[in-house]
Amino acid sequence: MESKIKEFVELTKKETERLLNFLPEAFAWVFSTIFLVDIKKWVEKGGKLGRLKINRIPKQKYIKALAESIKKFGIHTMGIVITARQAIAAGYEITDFEGKPIPENEYDNYLILPDGQTRRGAFEKIKSESPSTGYPNYYAHFPLNDRTNLTDVLQTININRFNWTNSDYFTGNLSEPFTFIKDLESKGYNYTAACEWARLQTGIIGKRPLLNMMKNPTAKYKMDNFEYGKRLYNKAVVKFSEDKEIALKTKTVPEFILNKWDNVCNKLKKGDATEYLENFIDSLTDTECKEIVNPQKYKRGCGKKKEDFVNEQLENLFAAFVSKYPIDSF
């Protein structure tokens, strides 16, 4: 571990010298440990910007809102940049802003934004709307030195971003379950539903174990039922296709499925219980799926929650399925 730290310190020194020599007018020392980067000059010189693969993807509505704010009031907060080689050395995957991996022969052309993706999106929007204006003036700071490392920086950013989703704390080389959850969130699933599909347990993965994983990249989070949860999700997303998928994005349907799966597991092995629930999902008709999305008996102000109507519908459908295909004879 100590040798890796020394290697990273040496890399940071070399990368700092390289940047200062390459484009001195775009970099300025502020204190003994950090310097500022003029992103406008970097981009105009032909430099490129990339992202950490683990970072959230900013929503367009936030990009649009920030672009309008910047045009009116300017930018008042700085982003953070590091070099591509530092990101790789720290164990993080990097991509361009189209999600494509950055090839090694392009590393020197990229600065990576661990923080500031929404701002970068807003600048790109302003630039596209007013090409003659060019890239807005924007500064970022380069914080890595012999007393900090990238994981510490990311942890500090995350702790101070209360509006981030829980999956923004996912870090390092993501295992498949965490990638699955993050992908669902990017598709509009709320965090609770995404966790429940992945774990087949009620509730979320809290910040404490995620922060522990940031501090210790070798730490693991146990998700024994992921294989079964993914199977049930894949069956459900085919059945609830297109505009019906909205029913899977909140916790009502996944919690019903996981509770029934848990009950069936009292009589069958997990693999068999999963197959039984897959058969139940497969038995649903298109009309029944639409009723789960929009129960006809539900009216706003009727004194009953919509999820209660959905649960009643699901309970009736499951009871009918069990009556026709008893668990004991499966």
Side-chain angles (χ1 to χ4, degrees):
M1 178 64 74
E2 190 173 336
S3 63
K4 287 187 177 181
I5 293 173
K6 287 181 179 179
E7 287 176 10
F8 192 81
V9 169
E10 286 304 311
L11 173 66
T12 296
K13 289 179 180 177
K14 289 178 181 177
E15 289 292 273
T16 302
E17 291 173 5
R18 179 179 66 82
L19 291 176
L20 291 172
N21 291 330
F22 171 68
L23 194 60
E25 67 270 25
F27 299 89
W29 285 104
V30 181
F31 301 108
S32 60
T33 56
I34 67 171
F35 61 88
L36 294 186
V37 182
D38 187 328
I39 298 296
K40 180 181 175 73
K41 288 181 179 178
W42 172 260
V43 172
E44 288 176 347
K45 183 73 174 181
K48 300 176 182 179
L49 300 175
R51 59 188 291 275
L52 298 178
K53 186 178 178 180
I54 64 167
N55 281 152
R56 62 174 179 172
I57 298 173
K59 291 182 171 63
Q60 287 301 313
K61 65 178 181 179
Y62 297 139
I63 289 175
K64 182 179 179 182
L66 184 56
E68 292 301 315
S69 174
I70 291 171
K71 285 190 285 187
K72 289 180 181 178
F73 309 111
I75 185 72
H76 299 289
T77 56
M78 291 189 295
I80 292 175
V81 294
I82 59 174
T83 70
R85 295 187 187 280
Q86 286 173 314
I88 293 296
Y92 294 86
E93 293 183 63
I94 55 177
T95 72
D96 61 22
F97 278 90
E98 293 179 354
K100 299 175 183 176
I102 298 170
E104 186 174 357
N105 62 356
E106 283 283 304
Y107 285 174
D108 288 349
N109 298 325
Y110 275 86
L111 289 178
I112 306 300
L113 289 167
D115 182 48
Q117 287 191 98
T118 305
R119 275 159 284 181
R120 176 260 175 197
F123 298 147
E124 292 293 336
K125 183 174 177 60
I126 293 169
K127 180 182 174 183
S128 66
E129 292 174 350
S130 305
S132 60
T133 304
Y135 213 82
N137 286 314
Y138 172 46
Y139 294 89
H141 69 91
F142 182 94
L144 300 187
N145 52 67
D146 59 355
R147 289 189 290 278
T148 63
N149 62 64
L150 182 51
T151 298
D152 289 340
V153 170
L154 288 173
Q155 185 179 347
T156 301
I157 293 168
N158 286 346
I159 288 172
N160 289 285
R161 293 296 190 270
F162 297 108
N163 62 330
W164 280 28
T165 62
N166 282 272
S167 70
D168 291 321
Y169 290 72
F170 295 177
T171 187
N173 295 316
L174 298 185
S175 62
E176 187 183 0
F178 286 99
T179 301
F180 176 81
I181 293 171
K182 197 169 180 69
D183 287 346
L184 288 188
E185 266 206 306
S186 71
K187 291 172 61 179
Y189 283 68
N190 69 38
Y191 183 62
T192 302
C195 287
E196 290 176 343
W197 281 118
R199 300 193 309 156
L200 282 184
Q201 295 176 20
T202 55
I204 66 171
I205 302 171
K207 291 185 177 71
R208 187 179 297 276
L210 299 177
L211 284 172
N212 182 51
M213 289 171 67
M214 293 189 76
K215 293 176 184 177
N216 179 12
T218 62
K220 303 293 182 184
Y221 186 89
K222 205 171 181 182
M223 277 195 267
D224 292 338
N225 298 328
F226 172 66
E227 171 193 346
Y228 310 116
K230 185 179 179 183
R231 276 175 56 182
L232 291 171
Y233 168 76
N234 286 339
K235 179 65 69 173
V237 80
V238 171
K239 183 61 66 170
F240 289 82
S241 59
E242 298 176 349
D243 58 335
K244 298 189 292 296
E245 189 179 355
I246 191 173
L248 310 181
K249 295 183 177 183
T250 56
K251 66 180 185 177
T252 305
V253 173
E255 284 190 2
F256 177 86
I257 295 295
L258 71 86
N259 284 330
K260 294 304 177 187
W261 180 84
D262 198 44
N263 291 338
V264 176
C265 281
N266 290 326
K267 297 184 178 181
L268 301 175
K269 293 180 179 179
K270 287 184 177 182
D272 293 334
T274 303
E275 185 178 350
Y276 188 83
L277 266 295
E278 285 177 318
N279 289 344
F280 164 66
I281 294 169
D282 212 30
S283 73
L284 299 175
T285 67
D286 189 59
T287 300
E288 289 166 344
C289 290
K290 288 179 179 177
E291 178 66 18
I292 290 168
V293 176
N294 289 305
Q296 295 302 304
K297 293 182 179 179
Y298 171 72
K299 303 293 180 187
R300 281 191 176 184
C302 67
K304 206 170 185 179
K305 294 180 180 179
K306 182 178 178 181
E307 50 263 38
D308 293 334
F309 283 93
V310 173
N311 265 314
E312 285 178 10
Q313 179 78 1
L314 287 165
E315 288 287 357
N316 292 335
L317 291 168
F318 190 72
F321 180 80
V322 172
S323 177
K324 192 172 182 180
Y325 304 102
I327 298 171
D328 292 335
S329 61
F330 183 74

